[in-house]
Amino acid sequence: MEEAVYKFPFLSVAQVHSFSMDRPVSIIFGPDNMYWVVPDAVARELHRLGYQFCQ
């Protein structure tokens, strides 16, 4: 399953982008020090692997 992952350097930009998505998404702080906007299905897997959710 290949899902789109959008990466942004600032949390506020990631939040604005997430508002325009047509499905539930999560924002995760990635190992590349970028904020990732990912579909919830992908977020669950990343969380299981130890990635951190942004609040």
Side-chain angles (χ1 to χ4, degrees):
M1 170 177 73
E2 190 65 29
E3 296 278 352
V5 175
Y6 301 95
K7 298 181 180 184
F8 301 95
F10 302 104
L11 177 58
S12 58
V13 177
Q15 288 172 326
V16 169
H17 181 77
S18 72
F19 298 148
S20 68
M21 302 293 287
D22 62 349
R23 59 182 164 175
V25 296
S26 296
I27 300 174
I28 294 187
F29 190 67
D32 55 359
N33 294 328
M34 300 283 280
Y35 294 95
W36 299 5
V37 178
V38 299
D40 278 349
V42 174
R44 284 190 292 274
E45 180 63 21
L46 292 174
H47 183 67
R48 189 182 70 74
L49 294 173
Y51 288 71
Q52 297 178 5
F53 286 94
C54 297
Q55 307 235 352

